[in-house]
Amino acid sequence: MRILFLFTLIPLLFWNCKSQTDPPTLILANGKIWTGEGPDTFAEAVAITGNTISKIGDSKSILELAGSNTEIIDLHGKLVTAGFNDAHIHFLGGSLGLTQVDLLATTSLEQVIAITKAFIEKNPEKDWITGRGWQYTYYSSGLPDHQSMKALDIGKPIFLRAYDGHSAYANPKALELAGITSSSVFEGFGEVVKDSKGNPTGALKEGAMGLVGDLVPAPSYDDKMKALKKGMELAASLGITSIQNASGSEEELKLYLDLMKKGELNVRYAAAFSVGEKSTAEELTRFNFLKDSLGAKNPWIRADAIKFMIDGVIESHTAAMLDHYSDLLPDDELALGMLNISSVKYQNLVKELDAKGFRLYTHAIGDRGVREVFSAYEKAVQENSFRERRHRIEHIETLSPDDIPRFAASGIVASMQPIHADPATVGVWSKAIGEERIPWSFAWNSILSSGAKLVFSSDWPACISLDPIRGIHVAVNRRDPFGFPESAWIPKEKISIYEALKAYTSQGAFSSFEENQKGLIREGYLADLIVLSEDLFTIDPMKIHEVKVKTTIIDGKVIFERK
């Protein structure tokens, strides 16, 4: 049933700027304020009046602005930056996952089994056991099966998604309830994986996950609202002040609008509506109405983006490739991966939605997938009227070196997740890619050097960590927190701490046309700032992952303090 709501009844929270003559409501002094303007643009103090930054300078001059009611935070030399902008996230899914089996921090199959069994014991009332987070590297074949997951062969259905959300394991009871047998064949983008004897292994790829996943009881409105509040608490503790959803619906957007209406929204939210092969003209019209109704003036919520998926992922051989996977024979049905949507349909949708003024995101992980997106975006720009666009390609885990210059030439933004390149997690991925394509994997430095814009994010819950600091560690070092590999993984693609921070702050704001109100510490900008436990610019790079967010400020208010 479609949810209808009138935007005229929703109080839009516009700028609450105070006069420059009013005393600041909050001052941060005696610190190292990185404004974000350049690699070495620092100040000592910042004054905040209401919800905006009113003055930046030395501690003495800023403290002289204080009034009797001004709150003063002595930074004791700590680093302050603009709040993190997670520019590709599935926030509702990640938040709901906080109430399910959480396997994102696991490092072995043994931990997956132990954590799942412990969850079952603590939650005897649950009819379905669901969760997320196992990695492909835990299994010799790259996928779980009934033998490796034998300890979970119980009388309750169990459905556990991989960390990236593109594959899942369903135990025998779950397969039974779904009616999946040796004769089951999935038609579409995905696969019911079977063993050499033709029996289902329990592994499901892409769309085939829905055969079981659709049986899981849907969370209620209250379940979702409670989960989002937990998610916002976690985001605040990690310094995330803005998020850009990379999938969604009208129903999901309404949750955030309700939180805003109640004054409980503690993160700036940009929605993207999911569009694919089966999207109807009615749905596209509705998305356009929502975009225009919300507009771009509300600093808390916007809904002007569309999310496509052109392919899958490397580990399950569903990402679309120009040449066959290195660990498959050329005649294998998945040798070149899969397209999630036909090229013609995709190009037509891109042209139509570009003409309506949407910002476009497209998930493209394989080098062929990336090329398909370039072709569709560039064709739309040629055929539609001139305007500034900030369309994005999401993930770009591997690409042809011939396509790198196309980012800067076309103005297309590279939207990537450094946490996906944690070297401890890429074993199965690297085997599938092969040595010849490895040099062009997660090519952050090559893309930046071409003159392109680079935006960072987590893809939570499709990641091993939501923490932007952990992602920055990987971007700067190309090594995991334990120092693996010693010589770094593809070291030529390392980037500086300045470029990594930029990708997590101002570039995210740029990608959503909000670079004039957030992403920097600049007078007149929204007061979204974080205080860090260590100086990222001077710390040993291999200790970046140890840095914690001490304080998070959004809209001029402290919403998190680490005890």
Side-chain angles (χ1 to χ4, degrees):
M1 179 177 178
R2 184 177 300 283
I3 294 173
L4 300 175
F5 49 95
L6 298 175
F7 293 106
T8 54
L9 299 180
I10 298 169
L12 298 181
L13 305 182
F14 293 105
W15 295 69
N16 184 30
C17 300
K18 297 283 186 177
S19 166
Q20 289 292 325
T21 59
D22 290 339
T25 49
L26 177 63
I27 287 176
L28 282 67
N30 301 317
K32 184 176 181 180
I33 315 292
W34 180 61
T35 67
E37 307 276 5
D40 54 2
T41 53
F42 299 102
E44 288 183 342
V46 57
I48 294 167
T49 306
N51 68 347
T52 60
I53 297 165
S54 51
K55 196 73 174 175
I56 302 164
D58 62 89
S59 294
K60 183 176 183 296
S61 61
I62 297 299
L63 287 170
E64 288 175 350
L65 302 175
S68 57
N69 295 319
T70 301
E71 180 184 356
I72 298 174
I73 297 177
D74 190 332
L75 296 168
H76 299 288
K78 299 298 183 188
L79 178 68
V80 175
T81 76
F84 293 129
N85 187 328
D86 192 315
H88 181 121
I89 196 168
H90 308 273
F91 198 72
L92 177 58
S95 298
L96 286 168
L98 298 175
T99 65
Q100 302 169 357
V101 182
D102 184 359
L103 304 171
L104 290 176
T106 59
T107 57
S108 68
L109 172 58
E110 291 73 23
Q111 288 182 2
V112 168
I113 299 298
I115 291 172
T116 304
K117 290 175 72 175
F119 182 89
I120 293 169
E121 291 177 8
K122 291 178 182 177
N123 297 274
E125 78 288 354
K126 286 188 176 289
D127 295 325
W128 275 80
I129 306 301
T130 58
R132 184 173 188 149
W134 56 262
Q135 295 182 37
Y136 299 92
T137 53
Y138 299 164
Y139 308 96
S140 58
S141 68
L143 287 169
D145 55 33
H146 291 326
Q147 183 59 39
S148 59
M149 306 290 271
K150 189 174 182 179
L152 301 183
D153 185 0
I154 63 174
K156 284 187 176 184
I158 298 176
F159 185 64
L160 303 174
R161 294 178 184 269
Y163 80 97
D164 62 4
H166 289 266
S167 301
Y169 172 74
N171 76 339
K173 183 63 177 178
L175 292 186
E176 176 190 334
L177 292 174
I180 296 175
T181 66
S182 57
S183 61
S184 299
V185 177
F186 181 74
E187 299 290 345
F189 182 65
E191 180 187 5
V192 174
V193 180
K194 298 178 182 178
D195 61 22
S196 58
K197 296 180 180 179
N199 296 315
T201 65
L204 303 167
K205 296 181 181 180
E206 303 294 355
M209 293 186 292
L211 298 175
V212 174
D214 289 347
L215 301 179
V216 178
S220 67
Y221 173 87
D222 287 340
D223 291 336
K224 293 175 182 178
M225 291 297 274
K226 289 176 183 177
L228 285 176
K229 290 175 183 178
K230 282 189 176 183
M232 288 190 296
E233 288 177 5
L234 176 59
S237 74
L238 300 174
I240 298 169
T241 57
S242 290
I243 57 174
Q244 299 183 48
N245 228 36
S247 59
S249 63
E250 179 177 349
E251 289 78 7
E252 185 172 346
L253 173 61
K254 185 179 184 299
L255 296 172
Y256 296 93
L257 288 165
D258 286 352
L259 286 168
M260 184 181 73
K261 187 163 56 173
K262 296 174 183 177
E264 296 175 345
L265 187 61
N266 279 338
V267 65
R268 303 192 192 279
Y269 176 77
F273 301 111
S274 299
V275 171
E277 190 90 46
K278 297 180 181 179
S279 296
T280 66
E282 179 188 19
E283 288 173 328
L284 301 186
T285 298
R286 182 64 180 173
F287 295 156
N288 194 54
F289 168 78
L290 295 172
K291 168 178 66 70
D292 293 344
S293 297
L294 267 177
K297 293 183 178 180
N298 187 333
W300 284 100
I301 292 185
R302 60 197 295 125
D304 59 343
I306 294 292
K307 166 69 181 303
F308 296 103
M309 275 187 60
I310 197 69
D311 66 357
V313 295
I314 301 294
E315 292 89 342
S316 64
H317 303 110
T318 53
M321 306 301 291
L322 294 171
D323 196 6
H324 70 85
Y325 281 100
S326 294
D327 58 347
L328 294 180
L329 295 174
D331 60 351
D332 190 288
E333 63 180 358
L334 285 176
L336 296 175
M338 306 174 75
L339 287 178
N340 188 39
I341 182 172
S342 70
S343 296
V344 173
K345 179 71 171 179
Y346 173 62
Q347 288 187 7
N348 289 339
L349 284 170
V350 164
K351 179 182 177 182
E352 177 182 354
L353 292 164
D354 171 80
K356 292 181 184 297
F358 281 101
R359 295 182 299 117
L360 304 181
Y361 307 165
T362 304
H363 164 123
I365 283 181
D367 49 15
R368 180 187 168 199
V370 172
R371 185 165 290 181
E372 289 276 348
V373 182
F374 272 124
S375 298
Y377 284 0
E378 291 166 351
K379 187 172 186 288
V381 169
Q382 290 172 356
E383 296 180 359
N384 289 336
S385 59
F386 175 79
R387 65 179 172 84
E388 185 177 7
R389 297 165 169 87
R390 294 180 186 175
H391 298 335
R392 300 175 4 182
I393 304 180
E394 309 297 313
H395 307 308
I396 321 166
E397 293 187 4
T398 186
L399 79 168
S400 166
D402 294 339
D403 288 332
I404 290 177
R406 296 172 78 174
F407 286 103
S410 61
I412 293 170
V413 176
S415 173
M416 304 176 75
Q417 298 73 43
I419 193 64
H420 287 337
D422 186 299
T425 69
V426 297
V428 172
W429 190 98
S430 297
K431 182 182 177 184
I433 281 291
E435 290 299 319
E436 189 172 327
R437 285 180 288 223
I438 285 289
W440 307 107
S441 304
F442 299 93
W444 310 314
N445 187 50
S446 294
I447 289 171
L448 275 175
S449 298
S450 75
K453 300 284 188 181
L454 178 65
V455 171
F456 275 167
S457 56
S458 67
D459 197 18
W460 188 63
C463 61
I464 60 172
S465 176
L466 171 62
D467 190 353
I469 294 293
R470 180 76 180 273
I472 290 169
H473 176 97
V474 176
V476 172
N477 295 292
R478 305 283 295 209
R479 298 167 75 187
D480 75 4
F482 302 101
F484 172 82
E486 187 174 349
S487 57
W489 187 59
I490 322 176
K492 73 181 181 70
E493 296 300 344
K494 292 181 184 179
I495 62 174
S496 69
I497 190 66
Y498 163 63
E499 293 291 1
L501 280 170
K502 224 172 92 169
Y504 254 120
T505 53
S506 60
Q507 295 304 288
F510 172 86
S511 75
S512 57
F513 287 96
E514 296 177 282
E515 72 273 20
N516 292 323
Q517 64 181 38
K518 66 181 183 181
L520 298 171
I521 299 180
R522 179 186 283 177
E523 291 179 14
Y525 274 45
L526 291 165
D528 301 346
L529 306 90
I530 57 175
V531 182
L532 298 168
S533 62
E534 303 291 339
D535 184 352
L536 291 171
F537 289 89
T538 59
I539 194 175
D540 176 352
M542 278 307 298
K543 292 185 177 181
I544 289 174
H545 69 95
E546 298 176 1
V547 175
K548 301 294 183 185
V549 171
K550 292 184 67 67
T551 306
T552 299
I553 298 166
I554 185 167
D555 218 42
K557 302 177 183 67
V558 175
I559 64 166
F560 170 79
E561 287 186 280
R562 191 171 299 279
K563 304 303 182 184

